Amino acid sequence: MTRSAMGRIWCGAALIVLVMVLAACSEPLVEPRAPRTPTAVIDRYNAIVATAEAGEDLLARARAYYDRGNIWFDQQNYTEAIADYDRALALDPSMSRAFHNRGLAHAMLKEYDAALRDYALAIHLDPDYRRAYENRVRLLEELTARTPDETLLQQLADDYGNLARLIPAAEAPYRYRQGLILARLGDRTAAREAFDAAIRARPQHVDALYERALLHYADGDLNAALADLDTALRLSPRAANAYYVRGLIHRAQGDTRGAIADFGQALILQPAYPEALIARAATYAEQGNITAARADLQRLDDLQLDPPLQQAREALRLRIGGSG
Amino acid sequence: MPDRLRAWIAWFAGVLGILILGSGLLLDSVMQWRLHLLAGLWLLSLPARRLIGQSGATAHRSLRGLMLMAVLGFAAIGLQLMRNQVTQSEATLRAVASLAQPVAAEQPQPVFPETDPAERTSLGSGRTFPVAINAGARGRILDRNGIVLAETVDGRRTYPNPALGHLIGFQSRLYGTTGLEARFDAQLSGVATLSPTAILEARLLGSSVEQFPADLTLTLDSRLQEAAQQALGERAGAVALLDVPTGAILAMVTYPRFDPNQLVLPEPATQADVDRVQAAWAELNARSDAPLLNRATQGRYPPGSVIKTLTAAAALDSGVLADPMAPVTCPNLLPTEAGAPPVRNAVDNLFRRTGDPSDLVRVYAFSCNTAFAQIGLLLGADRFLEYARRFGLQTVDTRSGPPDLRDIPAEVGTIANEASFLQRPAALADTAFGQGQALVTPLDMAQLAASVANEGRLMRPYLVAEARAGEQVIYQAQPEPLRQVVSPETSRRMLDIMRTSVEIGYAQPIALPGVSIGAKTGTAETPRGVPHSWIIAVAPVEQPRYAIAVIVEYGGEGSRSALPVARQVLAAALGVTP
C-alpha cells in the first residue's frame, strides 16, 4: 500500500470522526423548559425577607414572603412555599395571587380540598383571574374524571364559561367544553346553549355541531339533529360516527333506506365499527332482509365487544336467529 | 500549472470556504449546515495544505498534516457550538428570563390544537353512557295451568316442585344455568325483549333501556306429572307422556333425580351456604346412579319388543304384509344364517297362543320374536333402516342433526352402530324383534307410539308453550310436524293391532274401564341378566290424545313393572279410576 493511499484512509477516518463529533454537538445547548432557580437564589430572597421583617411596611413584608414562596414553589418545595404564602396572606389577605399560588402548591401536594378552597378565594378576590380559572379547571377535570361529583362538574362548567368570557379568542373551545360538562350533568338546555355559543363563535366547529345534534336527538327533535349532522358532514365528510348517528336518526324517522345508506357509509370509512354493524343488521332485519342481517352479525362475531355491545349483539341474534 | 496560479486558487478557495461557513451559521436545517461546514472546511484546507507544502521529510509532512486536521476539527466543533448559540438563542433567552419571573408571570394565550374539519374521522367527545339493564329480575316458569314451578323470591331462585330439576334445570351462581333455565335464559331474563338499537341509543344518549323478563308457560301438567312420579316411585327409570296431536310433553319423569333448590345460593350467601351447595354438588356427581341424568331424554336403552311396533308399521306401510290378517308363522326357532344362533321366543310353543299359521295382529299381541324376525328379513335392511330413520332412529355412522326435542338436552336414538350391521341376516332379524344394537330413549319410544297414533305423522316434541312478557307474547311454540312416517291407513291398522294387544295379548293388564287403549310391552335384555321393563301405549284408540312410554330399569318383563306405571298415568290423564 502506498503512502498516499494510507494518507487517504487516515483522512477518511478523521472525516468520519469529525462528522460524529459534529452530530453530537448538534443537540440543543439549552433545554426547552425553563430551568429551576438555582438553590443559591433562596439566600438572596432570605435576605430580602430579613430586610422586610426589620422594616415597618407590612405590605412590603407580605410581598417579600410571597416572592420567596414563589422561589420555594419553583424549587418544588411546596411545604415551604405554602408556609410563606400563609405568612404573606396573614399580612395581606387581598393577595389573590398568593391564594392562587398556594392553591397550586396544595394541588401539587394532592391536597385537593385545600387547593379548591384557595382557588375559590383567589377568584373571589379577582373574578377575572384567568390563570386561577385555568388551574382550577385542570384540577377539576382530573377530579371529575375519577369521581363524577355533580357539584364539581357544575363548578367545572361555570369555569369554562368564565374562561370563554375572559378569552374571547378561545370562546369556541371553552364553550364546547362547557357544553360537554353540562350534557354530562344532564342539563340539556344549558348544554345546548353552550354549544350554540360555540357554534356562533366558530360556525365550522364540527364537534359542537355533532354534540348539539345528539342533544336534539335525545330530545326527540330529529329534524334539528339531522340539520346539525348534515352541516357537520359537509365540513367533515370522513367522520364515520356522524354517519352512524345520522343513520340512527333516519331509522327513528322510519327512513330505513337512508339509515342503511348511512350505516354503510360509516362502515366504509371504519370497517370495524360494531355499533354501525349492529344498527345496520337490526335495520336489515326490520326490512326482512335476514340474509344481510346475518352477514353483519357474522362480522360482529369477529370483533371484540364491550359488555353493552355484547348484549346488543345477543339481542340481535335472538331476533334474527343464527348460531351463537 | 504555474505556481502563482495555484496560489491564487488556494487563497480563493480559502475565502470561499469562510463565506460558506459564515452563511451556514444562519441556516435552520441541520443537514444543510453540516454540508456547508464540511465544504467550507475542505476549501479552507486547500490554502493550509499549500502552506504546509511538499518539501521536507515525510515524517515532518505527516505531523504537519495531522496538526492541520486537528485545527480544522476544533474549528468545526467551535463553529457548531457558535451556531447553536445563534439558532437556540430564543430558548436561551427564555431560560434566562424565567429566572426573574418564576411562577407569577402571566401565561401565554391558551392554544387549542385544531385539525382541519375535512380531515376528521370522528366527531365529538366520543363519550358513551353506561347502559343500565336490570339483570336481577327473572321471569317465572309455570305449568300449563299456571302452577308456579320456578320463581325468584328475595333474589333467590326457588323451585316449589323439587322433582323437576331434570326439566327446569337450575340457575346457580356456583354452577351456572341448566335445563329450561338455560335454554330460555334470554326470555326469562328479558334479554329477548331488548331492542339492539335501544341499547345503542342508550349508550349514545344516556336514555333508558326497557327490559321485560318473560314468564314461561310449559306444556307440562303438574297433575299428570305428579301421577307419573307416584306411579314410577323410587325405581330407576323414566316416563314420557305426549299429547298426540301436537307433540307437547305433558309429563316427563326420571328417577333418580335431584332437587335443584339444593344448588341455589341464598342472597346474600354465607360461607356455610357455599359449603352446603358445594357438598350437595359433589355428592350428586359422585353418585353411581346418575341423578343429574334425565333418563327420559338422555337415557339410551335397548328397546326390547316395543320396537316390534316399528317393524309392524314398516311391513304394513311398505306392503311387505298386505294387511294385518296376512298369514305369519311363529315357530319356536328361526335359523337366520350359518353360525348364528337361531332366533327363539321368550316362551316355548308360543304358536299355541298366536295360532299356526297366525297373523300380524296376534304375533304382535303375544310378542312373537320369530315372527318379527321373519318380517324384518322380508323388509330387508335398506327398507328397515328407512323406516327407522322416518321414526327418528338412525345408525351411529350416519347420524346427523340435533335431536327432535330442542328445549332441554336430549339424545338421538340409534338403530345400529353402523348401517352395514343390518346387512347380516341375523343382525337384521334380531333388530326387528328388539335385540341387536339399537339404543333408544323413552322419549323416542313415546314419539314412536304418538306418530303411529297421529295418522302416521311425527310431531316435534316440546316443553315450552309460550313466553309472555306482560301482555306481549315473545315466544309461541307451534305444533310442528316433522314428517309423515307411515300412511294414515297404516296408522289406523296399527292402532287396531295395538288395541288387540291390550284386548288379548300381553298388554291386557293395562286395560281401563270405558277406554280403549293400544299398547305394546317390551322386555329388553341386559348384561346383568335382569331385563329392563318397557311399555308404550296410546289412548283412547278411537281418537288418540295420549301417547306414553315407560321404562323401569331392571324391572323384569314389560307387563310386570312398566305396564302398571303407564296404566296409572293414563288413568289420571283420562280421568278414569283404575
Side-chain angles (χ1 to χ4, degrees):
Chain A
M1 191 179 287
T2 62
R3 279 186 187 154
S4 63
M6 281 291 286
R8 280 194 203 104
I9 290 170
W10 274 107
C11 279
L15 192 63
I16 289 167
V17 170
L18 180 62
V19 167
M20 288 170 70
V21 171
L22 289 174
C25 288
S26 65
E27 290 301 311
L29 291 180
V30 179
E31 293 205 10
R33 71 170 180 77
R36 308 217 174 282
T37 48
T39 314
V41 170
I42 206 73
D43 295 337
R44 208 176 82 210
Y45 281 84
N46 284 339
I48 294 169
V49 165
T51 307
E53 281 174 342
E56 296 294 317
D57 188 346
L58 296 180
L59 291 181
R61 202 186 296 172
R63 179 73 203 183
Y65 286 132
Y66 170 73
D67 287 341
R68 191 174 66 179
N70 286 346
I71 300 302
W72 284 125
F73 186 100
D74 195 47
Q75 292 181 356
Q76 299 183 353
N77 191 339
Y78 303 119
T79 310
E80 289 295 341
I82 288 169
D84 267 347
Y85 294 138
D86 285 345
R87 291 183 192 106
L89 287 166
L91 294 169
D92 181 4
S94 68
M95 292 181 80
S96 61
R97 271 146 188 78
F99 277 118
H100 165 264
N101 287 6
R102 190 173 70 178
L104 200 56
H106 279 304
M108 301 306 283
L109 292 172
K110 301 191 186 307
E111 295 163 359
Y112 300 125
D113 288 341
L116 289 174
R117 215 167 27 241
D118 277 345
Y119 289 144
L121 286 167
I123 290 167
H124 176 73
L125 289 168
D126 181 359
D128 291 344
Y129 191 176
R130 194 190 105 192
R131 191 168 185 180
Y133 286 117
E134 285 172 339
N135 280 323
R136 186 160 72 177
V137 156
R138 204 168 293 135
L139 178 58
L140 288 171
E141 284 282 12
E142 190 185 330
L143 294 177
T144 53
R146 274 186 251 157
T147 315
D149 180 278
E150 281 198 16
T151 312
L152 296 184
L153 282 169
Q154 189 60 57
Q155 181 71 72
L156 184 55
D158 293 344
D159 281 356
Y160 276 131
N162 281 312
L163 284 169
R165 173 178 58 81
L166 291 169
I167 315 169
E171 183 181 2
Y174 279 134
R175 287 290 178 200
Y176 169 67
R177 280 169 167 74
Q178 185 187 28
L180 289 181
I181 302 297
L182 290 167
R184 198 170 153 197
L185 278 165
D187 188 350
R188 292 213 284 261
T189 307
R192 194 161 41 246
E193 284 170 4
F195 291 136
D196 288 346
I199 294 163
R200 264 198 311 275
R202 198 165 82 225
Q204 70 278 23
H205 199 311
V206 285
D207 293 304
L209 283 164
Y210 172 85
E211 293 290 345
R212 191 170 69 176
L214 291 184
L215 291 179
H216 286 312
Y217 183 12
D219 288 339
D221 190 350
L222 302 183
N223 287 329
L226 275 184
D228 274 349
L229 286 173
D230 287 344
T231 308
L233 281 168
R234 266 198 301 279
L235 294 163
S236 300
R238 295 170 58 193
N241 63 339
Y243 283 107
Y244 159 66
V245 175
R246 196 170 72 173
L248 285 178
I249 294 170
H250 277 139
R251 187 182 165 281
Q253 287 183 320
D255 177 9
T256 50
R257 283 183 62 186
I260 286 172
D262 275 341
F263 296 141
Q265 186 60 32
L267 287 163
I268 289 170
L269 293 166
Q270 190 180 321
Y273 194 164
E275 288 96 333
L277 277 170
I278 292 169
R280 190 170 72 173
T283 313
Y284 275 139
E286 282 168 10
Q287 278 189 332
N289 189 350
I290 300 299
T291 309
R294 286 197 176 136
D296 280 349
L297 186 60
Q298 201 166 358
R299 281 174 68 181
L300 277 166
D301 287 337
D302 297 333
L303 300 179
Q304 290 285 331
L305 305 181
D306 61 21
L309 289 182
Q310 285 175 24
Q311 275 186 312
R313 180 181 61 187
E314 294 319 305
L316 178 66
R317 200 189 304 282
L318 282 168
R319 296 204 164 195
I320 64 177
S323 59
Chain B
M1 190 185 290
D3 195 45
R4 192 178 174 80
L5 181 59
R6 280 188 187 174
W8 272 109
I9 290 172
W11 286 114
F12 178 74
V15 171
L16 188 62
I18 290 168
L19 287 174
I20 287 175
L21 286 172
S23 65
L25 283 174
L26 302 172
L27 283 172
D28 285 337
S29 163
V30 174
M31 280 309 294
Q32 283 183 21
W33 156 245
R34 284 180 189 161
L35 286 172
H36 270 71
L37 188 60
L38 291 174
L41 289 176
W42 179 75
L43 289 168
L44 279 178
S45 72
L46 294 179
R49 277 164 60 187
R50 181 169 178 79
L51 285 174
I52 291 169
Q54 300 296 319
S55 61
T58 307
H60 284 162
R61 284 209 313 275
S62 297
L63 189 61
R64 287 198 294 261
L66 201 60
M67 286 172 64
L68 174 62
M69 282 173 63
V71 168
L72 289 175
F74 281 116
I77 293 168
L79 285 166
Q80 171 77 18
L81 295 176
M82 189 190 299
R83 177 178 175 274
N84 280 348
Q85 296 305 315
V86 176
T87 57
Q88 296 174 29
S89 57
E90 280 191 22
T92 311
L93 268 176
R94 273 201 308 274
V96 172
S98 73
L99 293 176
Q101 293 182 323
V103 280
E106 279 299 316
Q107 286 177 315
Q109 285 287 323
V111 176
F112 294 96
E114 285 182 25
T115 313
D116 179 1
E119 297 299 314
R120 298 287 300 278
T121 56
S122 178
L123 304 184
S125 63
R127 76 179 184 282
T128 55
F129 289 89
V131 180
I133 301 172
N134 181 8
R138 191 171 178 85
R140 299 174 301 167
I141 300 178
L142 312 168
D143 89 335
R144 66 189 303 130
N145 299 312
I147 294 171
V148 176
L149 305 177
E151 63 182 335
T152 302
V153 179
D154 296 333
R156 180 184 180 176
R157 200 69 172 158
T158 59
Y159 303 95
N161 184 346
L164 295 175
H166 59 290
L167 300 177
I168 291 173
F170 54 80
Q171 191 201 22
S172 166
R173 277 188 283 149
L174 287 180
Y175 302 112
T177 308
T178 65
L180 291 174
E181 292 272 31
R183 173 67 180 79
F184 288 86
D185 183 61
Q187 287 80 5
L188 289 164
S189 67
V191 169
T193 63
L194 285 176
S195 155
T197 47
I199 295 174
L200 295 177
E201 284 182 336
R203 187 179 162 83
L204 187 70
L205 308 174
S207 50
S208 59
V209 181
E210 294 184 282
Q211 179 183 8
F212 304 102
D215 286 342
L216 290 191
T217 300
L218 306 189
T219 59
L220 214 64
D221 185 322
S222 288
R223 186 179 63 85
L224 299 180
Q225 182 74 14
E226 180 65 24
Q229 278 170 211
Q230 284 191 358
L232 183 62
E234 296 188 349
R235 290 174 291 179
V239 179
L241 177 69
L242 300 182
D243 180 61
V244 167
T246 62
I249 296 172
L250 300 171
M252 182 170 274
V253 173
T254 184
Y255 193 87
R257 51 182 169 258
F258 69 98
D259 177 0
N261 292 297
Q262 64 186 326
L263 300 175
V264 179
L265 283 173
E267 183 67 51
T270 63
Q271 185 57 46
D273 294 322
V274 173
D275 293 345
R276 178 180 50 74
V277 168
Q278 287 178 333
W281 179 249
E283 193 254 334
L284 286 172
N285 280 284
R287 277 170 55 178
S288 59
D289 58 359
L292 293 169
L293 182 77
N294 180 2
R295 286 163 159 77
T297 61
Q298 295 171 297
R300 284 157 51 83
Y301 303 93
S305 293
V306 291
I307 207 72
K308 287 170 180 158
T309 310
L310 186 157
T311 309
L316 289 174
D317 198 63
S318 63
V320 165
L321 293 179
D323 60 69
M325 303 311 292
V328 183
T329 60
C330 181
N332 279 334
L333 292 174
L334 179 76
T336 52
E337 64 179 85
V343 175
R344 65 174 69 234
N345 292 318
V347 292
D348 286 339
N349 303 321
L350 189 58
F351 58 83
R352 289 179 185 161
R353 293 187 181 182
T354 62
D356 188 21
S358 184
D359 52 47
L360 183 61
V361 177
R362 294 183 70 83
V363 295
Y364 184 85
F366 293 101
S367 203
C368 177
N369 290 348
T370 53
F372 278 90
Q374 291 176 80
I375 295 170
L377 292 170
L378 285 171
L379 277 165
D382 293 342
R383 202 153 34 190
F384 186 81
L385 277 171
E386 167 57 19
Y387 276 95
R389 188 198 59 75
R390 289 192 201 178
F391 277 106
L393 306 177
Q394 300 176 33
T395 55
V396 173
D397 62 343
T398 61
R399 189 169 63 187
S400 62
D404 294 338
L405 177 61
R406 305 282 170 80
D407 294 349
I408 54 172
E411 285 286 330
V412 180
T414 52
I415 197 71
N417 288 341
E418 51 194 23
S420 61
F421 173 74
L422 294 180
Q423 298 301 328
R424 285 183 47 221
L428 179 59
D430 286 350
T431 306
F433 73 84
Q435 289 185 9
Q437 295 179 336
L439 289 172
V440 298
T441 67
L443 180 61
D444 287 330
M445 293 299 95
Q447 282 185 271
L448 168 64
S451 53
V452 163
N454 190 36
E455 298 183 329
R457 218 172 23 245
L458 179 66
M459 305 297 289
R460 181 184 298 289
Y462 62 100
L463 257 174
V464 176
E466 70 170 27
R468 183 184 287 267
E471 292 303 308
Q472 189 190 0
V473 176
I474 59 170
Y475 173 84
Q476 178 87 58
Q478 298 294 337
E480 181 188 350
L482 288 170
R483 56 193 160 267
Q484 190 73 34
V485 178
V486 292
S487 69
E489 173 63 14
T490 303
S491 163
R492 193 184 55 73
R493 288 172 163 182
M494 281 304 301
L495 281 172
D496 283 342
I497 292 170
M498 291 176 78
R499 177 170 53 191
T500 308
S501 172
V502 174
E503 288 171 354
I504 64 167
Y506 289 159
Q508 204 168 14
I510 202 173
L512 286 166
V515 184
S516 60
I517 298 175
K520 178 76 193 85
T521 57
T523 306
E525 293 180 8
T526 68
R528 200 195 280 185
V530 183
H532 294 323
S533 177
W534 271 105
I535 191 166
I536 58 172
V538 295
V541 169
E542 297 79 14
Q543 193 170 0
R545 286 178 58 199
Y546 304 107
I548 190 170
V550 178
I551 185 167
V552 178
E553 290 179 15
Y554 310 108
E557 292 171 354
S559 58
R560 186 192 298 172
S561 303
L563 184 146
V565 175
R567 182 169 187 265
Q568 210 169 318
V569 176
L570 286 177
L574 296 161
V576 177
T577 305

